[in-house]
């Protein structure tokens, strides 16, 4: 859900993986997964190990040598087994985890409502029910959307000559859409912890973070097609009118994206954000983009505190668009933001409708749905949260050792101490595990099992109200309204967040699998996020999540010098037949290359204190350390439609999966040791880039 506010600024979030299509549910063929097999006998253990082994082996291409091409070896058969298709444009294990999460959710929704359900649970179940009645959906959809559009003077594309231009004023419309339904049209508006003082919420205004890179033409094109379809199907516009309107909207999106700081060119927060008074901004941008008036109309009162302006070039671009675009086109653009919430397919089969409705419910009630799934997973397996917390502690110990090691001497003593303090203070949270009082948030929400579109509307109104009220509130560190399938790090909170889907065992880890798998998969994922706290974007946040440069000059210089090694290295890689762009931003590569070292060190610590007897899988001859690297490598098995590969390479902050895996291993001498790669082998080059 792109439009629902999160309490933390999204751009500042560093995650493990970008998900092109958040909610394309598909079962990855993985023989290792038996969600309902719970009988605990030696025989079932044996079956599960056999199955895991079969799953891992099925992806391995034995014709490729691990020292020549580790991705080709570990994932060589993945794309054949799980090909990307027009319907599912990318396949990988994060998606498999999400599919398992969704299956569990559907089971939970199908359970009878109980008098012991909390009021929020009852609401969410009624919401789900309202989504299942496809005849009601078809009957009510268009009338509902048209009613909402009428409230805002109607959509020019629909009203034709009846639309009265003199009643339209862009700033006022932007403010009304935000006030009423929390819609961000040209400007992003967020409330989140301040950068200099994370104890206090601040207003952030500026660049929208849901815009695709201006270079990713294929993504702009596909949004245009979706918009055209919505205009036709939701509103009944003729095909030519829908095409024309969608093209106008796409043109504005492209114009807007020309003002953004491209994802791959993001700079540290001190260079992206500016704390200013609204009146000061209005003086700069003039009456066309009078943000003072915008905020005043949104809140129904003056707002005199400073706000964070996010990306000046974007503001100028918005001003240009407001100045040059005909009112009719601007109105179509702004009002079209209302459509996506009411878009819902109706499936031919009830089973498929359950799938669609579970996805919708997840997007709209992300925080509570996480809570439901978390509780259910915890009930089934009470040990998992504790074992993840234990793993987190072990990773911290391992990272602390790495920071203190002679190879990290380049961190001068004072900077090292600050780094250790930051690491010590870093916290860990599993989404859905909070005991937050959902009634505080959803208490006033009326949900009817016979009024899906009314439910959506009332939920948006509630979110819009909370956004305004958040300005008066303290930051709530446990509230994330967005649905996430990837772990992420929040610098303002100095906290790593793990999605509830990672609580599902038997995908990545299980007590009957070798521990190498756990350290290599979820261990690596957590370590990657932990390392983000020390990457080029977030390293100047301190232990309390305040932006404060605690690096002394020598350490900063040494960091930059080490980073340049990665800059050069990645710009030398090829993907999809072309060289990757040369980028100064290295946050993801730093997190990967540090994360693998942390997870490996933690695994070695564990091995040294345990018997390695269980560290094998049937019919596999890998050593424990080889198994660790293989499990880690297979996290990155994926397939992507060829048509999207170029867009990924030139716009994602993450390098393509196969490149990420290659660099992580090629930079790590322990990998070469484990697989006995000769010096100079493709996977064991002489020059290695190491940060920590
Ligand atoms: C579905 O909605 C229609 C129209 O509102 C209504 O007549 C019907 O009773 C509903 N069906 C169920 C199973 O609730
Ligand atoms: C448009 O609205 C304005 C102000 O409400 C009104 O004065 C004007 O007559 C309207 N024009 C048309 C063509 O309806
Ligand atoms: C912006 O709007 C405010 C309040 O509506 C007004 O006082 C101010 O003069 C306007 N500034 C500009 C530059 O138009
Ligand atoms: C920084 O490095 C220079 C040159 O290597 C050295 O002389 C100086 O003492 C260092 N400063 C600190 C604070 O470590
Ligand atoms: Zn990351």
């Amino acid at each position: 859900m792109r439009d629902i506010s999160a309490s933390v600024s999204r751009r500042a979030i560093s995650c493990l993986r970008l998900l092109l299509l958040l909610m394309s549910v598909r079962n990855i063929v993985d023989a290792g997964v038996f969600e309902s097999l719970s009988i605990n006998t030696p025989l079932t253990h044996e079956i599960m190990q056999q199955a895991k082994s079969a799953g891992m082996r099925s992806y391995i291409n034995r014709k490729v040598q691990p020292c020549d091409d580790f991705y080709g070896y570990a994932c060589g058969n993945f794309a054949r087994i799980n090909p990307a298709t027009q319907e599912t444009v990318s396949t990988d294990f994060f998606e498999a985890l999400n599919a398992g999460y969704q299956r569990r959710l559907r089971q939970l929704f199908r359970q009878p409502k109980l008098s012991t359900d909390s009021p929020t649970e009852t609401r969410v179940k009624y919401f789900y029910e309202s989504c299942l009645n496809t005849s009601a959906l078809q009957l009510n959809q268009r009338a509902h959307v048209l009613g909402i559009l009428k409230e805002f003077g109607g959509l020019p594309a629909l009203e034709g000559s009846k639309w009265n231009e003199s009643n339209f004023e862009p700033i006022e419309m932007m403010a009304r859409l935000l006030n009423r339904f929390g819609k961000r049209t040209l400007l992003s508006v967020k409330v989140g912890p301040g950068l200099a003082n994370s104890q206090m919420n601040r207003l952030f205004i500026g660049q929208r973070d849901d815009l695709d890179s201006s270079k990713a033409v294929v993504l702009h094109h596909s949004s245009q097609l979706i918009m055209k379809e919505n205009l036709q199907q939701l509103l009944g516009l003729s095909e030519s009118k829908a095409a024309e309107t969608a093209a106008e909207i796409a043109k504005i999106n492209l114009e807007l994206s020309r003002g953004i700081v491209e994802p791959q060119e993001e700079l540290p927060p001190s260079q992206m954000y500016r704390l200013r008074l609204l009146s000061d901004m209005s003086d700069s941008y003039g009456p066309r983009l009078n943000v003072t008036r915008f905020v005043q109309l949104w809140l129904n009162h003056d707002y005199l505190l400073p706000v964070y302006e996010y990306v000046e070039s974007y503001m100028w671009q918005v001003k240009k668009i407001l100045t040059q675009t005909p009112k009719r086109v601007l109105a179509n653009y702004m009002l079209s933001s209302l459509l996506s919430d009411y878009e819902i397919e109706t499936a031919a089969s009830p089973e498929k409708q359950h799938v669609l409705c579970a996805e919708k419910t997840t997007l709209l009630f992300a925080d509570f749905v996480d809570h439901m799934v978390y509780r259910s997973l915890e009930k089934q397996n009470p040990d998992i949260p504790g074992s993840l917390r234990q793993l987190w502690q072990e990773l911290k110990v391992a990272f602390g050792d790495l920071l203190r090691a002679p190879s990290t001497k380049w961190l001068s003593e004072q900077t090292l101490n600050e780094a250790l303090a930051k690491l010590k203070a870093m916290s860990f949270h599993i989404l859905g595990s909070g005991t937050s009082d959902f009634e505080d948030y959803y208490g006033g929400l009326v949900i009817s099992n016979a009024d899906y579109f009314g439910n959506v509307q009332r939920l948006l109104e509630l979110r819009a109200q909370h956004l305004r009220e958040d300005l008066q509130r303290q930051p709530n560190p446990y509230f994330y309204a967005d649905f996430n399938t990837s772990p992420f790090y929040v610098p303002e909170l100095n906290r790593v967040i793990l999605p509830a889907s990672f609580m599902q065992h038997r995908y990545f880890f299980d007590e009957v699998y070798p521990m190498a798998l756990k350290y290599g998969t979820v261990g690596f994922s957590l370590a990657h996020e932990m390392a983000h706290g020390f990457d080029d974007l977030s390293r100047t946040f301190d232990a309390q999540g305040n932006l404060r440069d605690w690096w002394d000059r020598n350490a900063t210089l040494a960091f930059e010098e080490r980073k340049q090694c990665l800059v050069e290295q990645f710009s030398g890689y090829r993907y999809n037949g072309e060289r990757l762009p040369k980028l100064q931003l290295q946050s993801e590569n730093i997190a990967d290359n540090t994360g693998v070292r942390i997870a490996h060190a933690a695994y070695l610590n564990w091995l040294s204190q345990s018997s390695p007897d269980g560290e094998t899988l049937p019919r596999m001859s890998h050593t424990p350390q080889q198994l660790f690297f293989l499990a880690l490598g297979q996290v990155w098995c994926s397939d992507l439609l060829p048509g999207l590969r170029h867009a990924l390479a030139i716009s994602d902050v993450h390098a393509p999966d196969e490149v990420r895996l290659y660099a992580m291993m090629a930079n790590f001498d322990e990998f070469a040791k484990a697989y006995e790669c000769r010096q100079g082998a493709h996977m064991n080059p002489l020059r290695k880039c190491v940060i920590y």
Side-chain angles (χ1 to χ4, degrees):
M1 186 91 252
R2 284 163 160 184
D3 289 304
I4 282 180
S5 70
S7 73
V8 285
S9 55
R10 187 106 192 103
R11 289 278 293 189
I13 284 176
S14 302
C15 68
L16 192 62
R17 186 176 173 74
L18 171 92
L19 293 134
L20 275 174
L21 260 196
L22 193 58
M23 295 298 293
S24 56
V25 176
R26 180 169 183 276
N27 262 324
I28 295 281
V29 186
D30 187 345
V33 177
F34 288 99
E35 280 159 75
S36 52
L37 186 70
S38 57
I39 316 151
N40 212 10
T41 68
L43 179 62
T44 55
H45 290 181
E46 168 72 19
I47 293 172
M48 282 172 53
Q49 287 163 359
Q50 289 283 0
K52 187 68 198 171
S53 165
M56 288 179 83
R57 279 182 290 124
S58 72
Y59 300 125
I60 294 177
N61 182 353
R62 298 211 169 266
K63 293 195 197 100
V64 178
Q65 293 307 310
C67 292
D68 291 342
D69 170 8
F70 194 59
Y71 183 87
Y73 167 77
C75 300
N77 290 333
F78 181 87
R80 193 170 48 72
I81 301 171
N82 300 292
T85 61
Q86 284 301 331
E87 202 178 60
T88 308
V89 299
S90 72
T91 53
D92 58 54
F93 283 107
F94 294 85
E95 225 181 297
L97 272 185
N98 185 37
Y101 176 106
Q102 292 287 322
R103 266 196 305 280
R104 177 169 297 259
L105 188 59
R106 296 198 292 276
Q107 283 165 12
L108 291 171
F109 283 149
R110 282 176 162 189
Q111 282 166 10
K113 294 185 205 70
L114 299 172
S115 57
T116 50
D117 286 351
S118 73
T120 309
E121 183 154 1
T122 307
R123 271 186 202 102
V124 172
K125 284 181 174 172
Y126 275 126
F127 178 84
Y128 182 71
E129 207 175 303
S130 75
C131 176
L132 293 174
N133 187 338
T134 48
S135 45
L137 293 182
Q138 281 163 353
L139 194 67
N140 300 327
Q141 185 176 41
R142 188 170 298 172
H144 195 97
V145 179
L146 292 179
I148 290 175
L149 289 172
K150 271 278 181 267
E151 197 189 311
F152 294 91
L155 186 76
L158 257 177
E159 305 293 326
S161 56
K162 288 206 301 287
W163 189 74
N164 189 339
E165 183 174 289
S166 58
N167 298 327
F168 174 81
E169 201 279 303
I171 295 290
E172 188 198 335
M173 179 66 88
M174 281 166 62
R176 279 178 66 201
L177 284 165
L178 182 64
N179 174 285
R180 191 83 171 83
F181 296 122
K183 289 282 129 194
R184 281 73 161 181
T185 46
L186 293 172
L187 291 176
S188 154
V189 175
K190 287 174 188 164
V191 178
L195 299 178
N197 174 6
S198 62
Q199 301 302 301
M200 192 183 155
N201 267 337
R202 288 268 184 214
L203 187 55
F204 291 75
I205 292 186
Q207 174 178 320
R208 259 170 49 193
D209 50 19
D210 60 334
L211 291 164
D212 292 313
S213 157
S214 64
K215 294 181 264 176
V217 184
V218 59
L219 301 182
H220 284 271
H221 189 66
S222 84
S223 321
Q224 182 175 344
L225 286 179
I226 292 170
M227 180 55 78
K228 179 183 163 232
E229 223 158 83
N230 276 345
L231 290 168
Q232 268 182 279
Q233 282 167 13
L234 250 98
L235 304 179
L237 282 188
S238 71
E239 177 162 12
S240 60
K241 191 74 197 166
E244 177 196 322
T245 309
E248 285 168 358
I249 290 168
K251 189 167 164 257
I252 296 188
N253 277 330
L254 192 61
E255 282 289 306
L256 279 177
S257 68
R258 294 206 171 104
I260 68 174
V261 168
E262 291 282 342
Q264 291 186 335
E265 285 157 16
E266 195 175 334
L267 298 168
S270 56
Q271 294 169 60
M272 300 274 284
Y273 295 89
R274 181 145 68 124
L275 196 61
R276 312 177 68 176
L277 290 172
L278 286 168
S279 57
D280 178 34
M281 286 169 75
S282 299
D283 287 344
S284 301
Y285 303 116
R288 289 278 190 171
L289 179 53
N290 187 332
V291 284
T292 312
R293 193 159 160 267
F294 170 59
V295 172
Q296 189 183 56
L297 290 171
W298 164 46
L299 295 173
N300 289 318
H301 59 74
D302 289 333
Y303 190 76
L304 300 173
L305 294 176
V307 306
Y308 280 103
E309 174 186 280
Y310 178 49
V311 185
E312 195 180 337
S313 60
Y314 182 85
M315 300 297 290
W316 287 111
Q317 195 69 358
V318 169
K319 180 187 169 161
K320 185 174 143 201
I321 288 168
L322 285 170
T323 311
Q324 297 178 352
T325 314
K327 280 189 171 185
R328 176 175 285 272
V329 176
L330 278 177
N332 281 334
Y333 181 83
M334 290 180 182
L335 291 170
S336 68
S337 69
L338 292 165
L339 302 183
S340 62
D341 296 311
Y342 299 97
E343 177 220 331
I344 174 143
E345 275 178 78
T346 49
S349 78
E351 250 349 274
K352 185 84 210 298
Q353 192 65 26
H354 275 279
V355 172
L356 293 173
C357 290
E359 288 175 12
K360 278 286 182 191
T361 313
T362 304
L363 291 175
L364 287 163
F365 291 93
D367 54 348
F368 192 76
V369 165
D370 270 333
H371 184 61
M372 283 176 79
V373 173
Y374 178 91
R375 263 188 335 196
S376 139
L377 287 164
E378 187 186 34
K379 200 167 151 205
Q380 185 184 336
N381 228 309
D383 298 338
I384 286 182
S387 86
L388 289 172
R389 265 176 251 289
Q390 165 74 23
L391 178 61
W392 170 255
Q393 288 306 333
E394 292 175 32
L395 293 164
K396 267 189 166 185
V397 169
F399 195 12
D401 292 345
L402 283 185
L403 290 172
R404 279 184 291 255
S407 54
T408 318
K409 261 202 321 279
W410 59 270
L411 272 183
S412 51
E413 194 177 334
Q414 187 210 329
T415 307
L416 171 65
N417 287 335
E418 292 261 13
L420 291 171
K422 179 168 180 177
L423 178 62
K424 181 155 182 258
M426 194 181 282
S427 57
F428 165 62
H429 177 69
I430 306 172
L431 284 178
S433 67
T435 49
S436 67
D437 190 354
F438 290 99
E439 269 310 282
D440 276 356
Y441 193 95
Y442 293 106
L445 181 62
V446 177
I447 295 287
S448 146
N449 63 348
D451 183 15
Y452 174 79
F453 300 106
N455 292 339
V456 172
Q457 176 175 338
R458 287 184 290 274
L459 181 62
L460 295 175
E461 287 166 1
L462 182 76
R463 300 255 186 243
Q465 182 196 335
H466 278 287
L467 179 69
R468 296 192 301 272
E469 291 171 1
D470 279 348
L471 269 179
Q472 324 292 333
R473 278 195 273 259
Q474 298 285 313
N476 175 354
Y478 292 106
F479 183 74
Y480 305 96
D482 279 348
F483 177 65
N484 285 290
T485 55
S486 164
F488 56 96
Y489 172 71
V490 189
E492 299 93 325
L493 304 173
N494 194 20
R495 172 169 298 152
V496 168
I497 315 282
L498 191 72
S501 58
F502 275 68
M503 291 260 292
Q504 302 171 98
H505 63 158
R506 294 177 197 170
Y507 286 82
F508 285 156
F509 62 91
D510 191 89
E511 57 273 32
V512 307
Y513 299 163
M515 293 301 276
L517 273 53
K518 181 175 172 179
Y519 286 91
T521 56
V522 63
F524 167 74
S525 303
L526 289 175
H528 168 106
E529 300 309 332
M530 193 181 264
H532 269 309
F534 303 85
D535 71 14
D536 47 353
L537 288 181
S538 302
R539 67 184 177 88
T540 50
F541 284 89
D542 68 13
Q544 280 71 46
N546 298 325
L547 193 57
R548 170 178 73 82
D549 192 353
W550 45 269
W551 289 63
D552 71 31
R553 196 177 143 68
N554 283 6
T556 300
L557 290 174
F559 177 88
E560 282 302 322
E561 193 183 314
R562 289 175 167 259
K563 186 178 110 165
Q564 285 313 307
C565 181
L566 290 169
V567 170
E568 297 301 330
Q569 188 179 48
F570 276 81
S571 65
Y573 292 146
R574 301 183 74 84
Y575 171 74
N576 194 36
E578 58 191 328
R579 239 177 231 286
L580 294 182
K582 183 167 182 175
L583 303 170
Q584 284 305 311
L585 181 64
Q586 290 295 323
S587 56
E588 293 301 334
N589 303 333
I590 291 169
D592 275 350
N593 285 278
T594 307
V596 65
R597 288 168 178 273
I598 298 172
H600 182 261
Y603 179 53
L604 285 193
N605 287 344
W606 180 85
L607 263 185
S608 71
Q609 289 159 23
S610 328
S611 143
D613 287 351
E615 293 299 288
T616 55
L617 281 171
R619 307 186 57 192
M620 287 171 79
S621 56
H622 295 73
T623 66
Q625 294 204 42
Q626 287 175 341
L627 214 45
F628 167 87
F629 287 113
L630 179 64
L632 198 158
Q634 290 194 333
V635 169
W636 299 107
C637 296
S638 64
D639 190 29
L640 179 64
L641 272 195
L644 292 172
R645 289 180 194 168
H646 174 71
L648 178 87
I650 59 163
S651 69
D652 192 353
V653 296
H654 304 89
D657 293 334
E658 57 193 71
V659 174
R660 291 177 73 172
L661 184 59
Y662 172 72
M664 270 188 257
M665 299 310 175
N667 283 329
F668 195 16
D669 48 2
E670 293 288 343
F671 169 80
K673 256 194 245 166
Y675 278 94
E676 299 175 353
C677 303
R678 66 176 169 80
Q679 264 211 351
H682 188 57
M683 295 301 304
N684 187 19
L686 296 178
R687 181 165 158 78
K688 294 189 171 5
C689 299
V690 178
I691 309 276
Y692 302 105

